[in-house]
């Protein structure tokens, strides 16, 4: 049980959170994010991966090879952290590094065949996890929920 949940539970196990807190979208999103992050981390760890591994592999699969800087922008991983993520992936033969033919000072990163297989496995793991996370929602509600979250995120990303 996470700390926020424990604070909401009196000795008899009934919720004691005030309605004005339970009705705040920001609080609900925060609590759901905390739970979702924990579940994703656990599920990916069970598949011998981390969320940044998935982000890099997905980016390479969808957009093709890229430099470390490009991968950082695509995935939201800080440039300073990207090297260690790529080292982990390269050690497992999930990505390939090659000198950029245009600029020999930088590397071009490509997903390997093994990386593609691993990404498909991670997709399955995350699909199962999302089925659990969104279990109370119908398929149409799940689609609507994702659309609404995307709209909110896009709006606030533009404002940043």
């Amino acid at each position: 049980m996470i700390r926020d949940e424990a604070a909401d539970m009196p000795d008899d196990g009934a919720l004691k959170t005030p309605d004005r807190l339970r009705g705040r979208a920001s609080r609900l999103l925060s609590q759901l994010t905390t739970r979702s992050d924990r579940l994703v981390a656990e599920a990916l760890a069970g598949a011998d991966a981390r969320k940044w591994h998935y982000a890099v592999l997905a980016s390479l699969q969808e957009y093709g090879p890229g430099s470390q800087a490009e991968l950082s922008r695509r995935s939201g991983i800080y440039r300073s952290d990207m090297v260690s993520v790529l080292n982990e992936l390269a050690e497992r033969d999930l990505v390939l590094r090659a000198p950029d033919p245009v600029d020999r000072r930088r590397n071009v990163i490509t997903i390997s065949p093994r990386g593609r297989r691993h990404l498909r496995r991670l997709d399955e793991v995350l699909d199962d996890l999302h089925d659990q996370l969104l279990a109370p929602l119908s398929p149409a509600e799940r689609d609507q929920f994702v659309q609404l979250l995307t709209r909110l995120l896009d709006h606030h990303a533009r404002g940043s």
Side-chain angles (χ1 to χ4, degrees), residues 38-52:
R38 182 175 44 84
L39 293 172
V40 167
E42 290 171 1
L44 289 176
D48 196 26
R50 297 186 304 128
K51 66 180 179 177
W52 297 128

Side-chain angles (χ1 to χ4, degrees), residues 88-129:
E88 292 170 7
L89 293 171
E91 287 170 8
R92 297 173 54 201
D93 297 321
L94 300 175
V95 298
L96 306 170
R97 284 184 176 141
D100 186 332
V102 177
D103 182 351
R104 303 297 245 173
R105 294 171 294 172
R106 67 180 191 168
N107 288 317
V108 174
I109 314 301
T110 307
I111 190 170
S112 70
R114 184 175 180 173
R116 282 188 188 84
R117 288 190 300 275
H118 190 61
L119 179 60
R120 282 192 298 274
R121 172 70 183 119
L122 297 180
D123 281 334
E124 292 171 3
V125 167
L126 290 177
D127 288 347
D128 290 345
L129 170 74

Side-chain angles (χ1 to χ4, degrees), residues 3-4 6 25 30 42 45 49 57 68 72 77 90 99 108 110-111 114 117 135 140 150 152-153:
R3 192 174 72 232
D4 287 337
S30 177
E42 290 171 1
L57 293 174
Q68 290 177 192
S72 178
I77 300 171
V108 174
T110 307
I111 190 170
R114 184 175 180 173
R117 288 190 300 275
T150 301
L152 285 168
L153 186 58

Side-chain angles (χ1 to χ4, degrees), residues 71-86:
L71 288 172
S72 178
R73 285 189 297 275
R74 291 181 197 170
S75 64
I77 300 171
Y78 290 115
R79 285 175 138 190
S80 58
D81 295 330
M82 182 58 74
V83 173
S84 64
V85 172
L86 291 175

Side-chain angles (χ1 to χ4, degrees), residues 22-37:
R22 291 180 52 83
R24 297 282 178 198
S26 58
R27 184 170 190 274
L28 295 170
L29 284 170
S30 177
Q31 288 185 316
L32 186 58
T33 297
T34 299
R35 180 174 299 251
S36 176
D37 282 348

